[in-house]
Amino acid sequence: MNAAAEPSHAAKLTLPWFIASIALVVIVAFGLRMGTHILHKSNQYDERFTTAPIYDIISQGWSVRTAIDFKETRGAALIWPYAAIGQVIGGDLNSLRLISVGFFIAGVVPVLLIAQLCGLGGVRLLLVAAFYCLLPYNAVLGQLVMSEPTFVFGSALLVLVFLWGIGGVMAREHRVAGPIVFAIVLSILLHNRLHATAFAGAACLVAFERHRWRSWPWWLACLLAGLSRLPLWIRWGGPVHPDYSMMHSMGARLDSLTYIAAAFVPFTILFLWPGLFGDTHRRSRMFVGAGALIGLGLAVIAPPSLNERITVAPDGVPFEAELFQGVIATFVRK
């Protein structure tokens, strides 16, 4: 009887910390919005590209031309929510930025639920929320009309769905519902940014490591999610609108793999802690070690040239851009 009551008691103790953790992110989000000069700034970073198709839908209405054949490198799952919400709350730049703030705040909810599935509760949820705000780009780009707020939210939700479906120590397995919901969320995320493909590979590998050939529903879910992207691919003749095709390419460059491995370090190093030092199976440490060796090997045989530049012309005006961008590239260059 007492054992059965423990989970409910723990949940009651955790709920106030869960709410406090969300409140912390709300305070950070609106603190940045009201306490900085962001509301007085014009387009920052890629906002001039991201907002263009959103403005078209808001001002000209929904049509095949504005909602399907828009010119951007990101997908409809980014453009449509901003356009739909913007039509309600206002379509000016700062109103659209408010939508990003909402997605930034919403993103911590699945992160906190993931933390609970991993056995964290109480004040540690507050620390998880603080780390969420401190992730590179997260809070800053959460103030701008960029793809990161929606993609981070969707990515965290996708991981949560996978953990819920795959089951484990903290949750029972959902063999049917898990892969189905995962396929739906992954499909939406693929229509936001093609980078979501990486999650498909990760899910398949983890599911296979856990269940071997019984993991086939997860493989099928990833396949179906990928196929859902084909109609637009066929219509555009590539992953994005033809005017932006020069900014996307297929294939694998080893130096690009080296850079993305390095760029992921700030985002993943905190989550490696349980696998290295927690009460976990020895295989976890083996996988972490193998990943580190692979990354080191890539760095030795294919170091990226951070001075490499490419010419792009997304709005008809050509300009040069650095091939490798981001926190790691900026830090190393400085």
Side-chain angles (χ1 to χ4, degrees):
M1 182 67 178
N2 291 337
E6 284 179 5
S8 177
H9 179 63
K12 289 179 181 179
L13 289 176
T14 295
L15 183 59
W17 288 108
F18 194 95
I19 297 173
S21 301
I22 297 175
L24 172 63
V25 178
V26 172
I27 292 171
V28 170
F30 282 96
L32 288 173
R33 181 174 172 87
M34 307 305 298
T36 64
H37 299 291
I38 186 60
L39 295 179
H40 304 289
K41 289 183 176 293
S42 59
N43 290 326
Q44 302 293 306
Y45 302 117
D46 290 345
E47 282 189 313
R48 68 189 179 106
F49 303 125
T50 310
T51 55
I54 298 172
Y55 289 151
D56 285 344
I57 295 177
I58 293 175
S59 62
Q60 302 172 29
W62 296 79
S63 66
V64 172
R65 183 183 61 81
T66 59
I68 302 296
D69 292 333
F70 54 83
K71 298 179 180 180
E72 236 293 345
T73 61
R74 275 64 62 115
L78 167 67
I79 305 303
W80 291 1
Y82 278 87
I85 300 172
Q87 287 179 321
V88 176
I89 68 172
D92 61 286
L93 180 59
N94 283 328
S95 294
L96 296 180
R97 285 171 172 171
L98 183 60
I99 300 173
S100 293
V101 171
F103 278 112
F104 168 70
I105 295 170
V108 79
V109 176
V111 170
L112 292 172
L113 292 173
I114 291 169
Q116 286 187 303
L117 284 176
C118 294
L120 299 181
V123 69
R124 290 180 291 182
L125 291 180
L126 203 60
L127 294 175
V128 169
F131 283 131
Y132 172 81
C133 294
L134 291 173
L135 281 171
Y137 290 127
N138 215 19
V140 174
L141 296 189
Q143 299 293 321
L144 304 176
V145 187
M146 302 276 283
S147 62
E148 279 74 10
T150 54
F151 191 74
V152 170
F153 165 71
S155 300
L157 181 62
L158 186 69
V159 174
L160 175 63
V161 168
F162 178 74
L163 292 176
W164 170 76
I166 201 73
V169 177
M170 302 297 295
R172 67 183 182 88
E173 182 183 3
H174 297 82
R175 290 199 62 194
V176 177
I180 291 175
V181 179
F182 183 85
I184 295 171
V185 177
L186 178 59
S187 175
I188 295 172
L189 207 56
L190 285 170
H191 282 81
N192 184 308
R193 295 179 68 169
L194 289 174
H195 304 70
T197 306
F199 291 110
C204 290
L205 290 174
V206 173
F208 184 76
E209 190 274 334
R210 179 76 63 86
H211 297 308
R212 293 297 185 267
W213 298 113
R214 197 164 63 87
S215 64
W216 68 265
W218 295 99
W219 293 76
L220 179 60
C222 293
L223 175 63
L224 293 176
L227 290 176
S228 71
R229 196 67 171 77
L230 282 182
L232 274 181
W233 194 299
I234 295 171
R235 182 179 182 86
W236 287 338
V240 296
H241 189 278
D243 287 2
Y244 279 76
S245 60
M246 82 291 287
M247 301 182 71
H248 278 269
S249 61
M250 300 301 293
R253 283 181 44 163
L254 285 181
D255 58 342
S256 296
L257 293 177
T258 302
Y259 178 74
I260 198 170
F264 271 136
V265 170
F267 295 89
T268 58
I269 193 167
L270 292 175
F271 301 100
L272 292 180
W273 184 270
L276 287 172
F277 303 105
D279 182 19
T280 187
H281 197 280
R282 185 174 60 183
R283 282 190 302 181
S284 297
R285 298 185 183 92
M286 180 187 71
F287 278 110
V288 172
L293 289 175
I294 292 172
L296 180 61
L298 282 171
V300 171
I301 65 175
S305 173
L306 298 185
N307 295 321
E308 186 174 353
R309 303 176 72 85
I310 58 173
T311 300
V312 294
D315 53 0
V317 180
F319 66 94
E320 281 196 344
E322 294 162 334
L323 179 62
F324 296 104
Q325 302 179 22
V327 172
I328 298 299
T330 303
F331 176 79
V332 172
R333 288 190 188 105
K334 289 187 176 181

